[in-house]
Amino acid sequence: MPPTVPVRLDWTARTALREHPDGRGVRQYEHKTWGRQYASTDGAVRDLWIPSFGRAKPDRPAAEKAAIAYVVAQGLPARRRARKARPPETSLVNPMPPERVRVFDFGCADGSVTPLLDWGPDTVRERFGRDAAPAFVVAATGTGLRPGTSCVDCKVIGHCAELPRTPHLWGPFRGAAPSRARRRSISAWDLRVHGDCPAQYHLVRRLHLNDLTPENPGARRGRVVDAVLNARHEGPLPGGCRKLRQAHEGMLPPGHALEEPLAQGALRMLDEHRALCPLDGLAQDEKVLPQHRVTAYVPELDVVVLAVPDLLHTRRGRWIWRETKTAAAPLWEGRPLLRTFPQLALAVLLFDKGVVGEGARRGRVELEHLREGVGESRLEAIDPSRPATVAEAQEVIADLAEPLLRDTSYEPRTGRHCRTCQVRTWCAPGTAYVSASPPAFVSDATRGSVESA
């Protein structure tokens, strides 16, 4: 393998400027790379290293990898044009594409490296035509509206017809409303983390900072179970998961990195799920939406609410919102479900405001609580049309959301959660608390849960 040297200017692939726009109204297409670029002196090898903030990403979507490889192979070094500068007339295409294109993801925090691709020119062309070109067409021609995280920075949110308005989602704001200097988003995960510790919320959810310590075993096991169920429900089988044979090692995702006891626990939970699978007996024309983002807007607070149920599906005209949680311990009867799992409370309120389906009367919220023991798992159903349930959900979300929206200092709040906090390295009170207090049992019902929003 020949040595490579840095390439300072961005590789750029550009078409010639058309005299008249094409069918999409475009006169020129231009694609650039982003990252650290290297090439051999003879041009036979080109490398791109893409930095990630924390750890290296394990993979990237097929369309993204194909687009990156195409630009690395076909582009030429070029300076970035000034904004609103006239587009150049000529095309920019590498006359001698490299024999080998390699792309790596680099973790800036821990130095980890993931090889994303190592392709020759034939593979680059084939993957671009198969994966990237269709995605480019959709991006260039798409005119639809898709509410989500981008709503937070949207300049025309007040005119969006697709974003559901939910004024007073959890009732009138108690006391003085927070400053509206900048639009914010909140999710059930935000609420839960801030409820534990405002400093942890600010560092993890806003600054995306952690000390790169491994996730606790319960959380890692929960992510594997979650990944298997999402893959199954993407292409639902007739009869759902109940028709599948007993779980075995081959059902777990490749490279899952679960130690043997955890892997066996995940398989037992997958077996438990078979009896609780919501897709059992579901008609072919029903809608099944795993990990579907639900978005709403609270206009008086200028807040975007984000939720991602594990599964959202219909059954005979009724929408059902399913949350699945893995745990080693049973549900604690002394604490209401909506308090234990705020995402259930948020789901109730989104049903009540008509964000999901046609309103609360045609919906149901479910909690699938998976455990390893045979018959120990539970399915809890919540009726979002009951006024008492809505009132309880409003109180739960108000108790969590209003302190978060008012907070400007994010002071640390010590407690049992400090033991598994991923930003304790930068928290003197949390470090002192853990050093001074004896080890305590941490419920796996919390440790093993997986949040998506």
Side-chain angles (χ1 to χ4, degrees), residues 406-422:
R406 286 196 185 97
D407 202 347
T408 57
S409 59
Y410 306 107
E411 297 295 330
R413 181 185 301 130
T414 58
R416 191 171 63 180
H417 51 270
C418 292
R419 297 190 177 280
T420 55
C421 177
Q422 292 212 318

Side-chain angles (χ1 to χ4, degrees), residues 148-169:
T149 55
S150 59
C151 296
V152 177
D153 298 315
C154 181
K155 301 296 189 297
V156 292
I157 192 171
H159 305 284
C160 180
E162 289 297 313
L163 180 61
R165 266 64 174 172
T166 55
H168 304 299
L169 179 62

Side-chain angles (χ1 to χ4, degrees), residues 57-86:
K57 291 183 173 62
D59 200 2
R60 289 176 182 259
E64 183 180 357
K65 291 192 293 187
I68 292 170
Y70 173 80
V71 181
V72 172
Q74 298 295 327
L76 288 174
R79 296 186 181 276
R80 290 186 178 272
R81 297 200 315 273
R83 184 176 295 182
K84 298 183 179 180
R86 177 178 174 81

Side-chain angles (χ1 to χ4, degrees), residues 11-29:
W11 284 317
T12 305
R14 184 175 66 226
T15 62
L17 186 66
R18 294 170 176 261
E19 183 177 354
H20 301 289
D22 63 11
R24 305 184 187 98
V26 178
R27 298 179 63 198
Q28 187 177 64
Y29 292 92

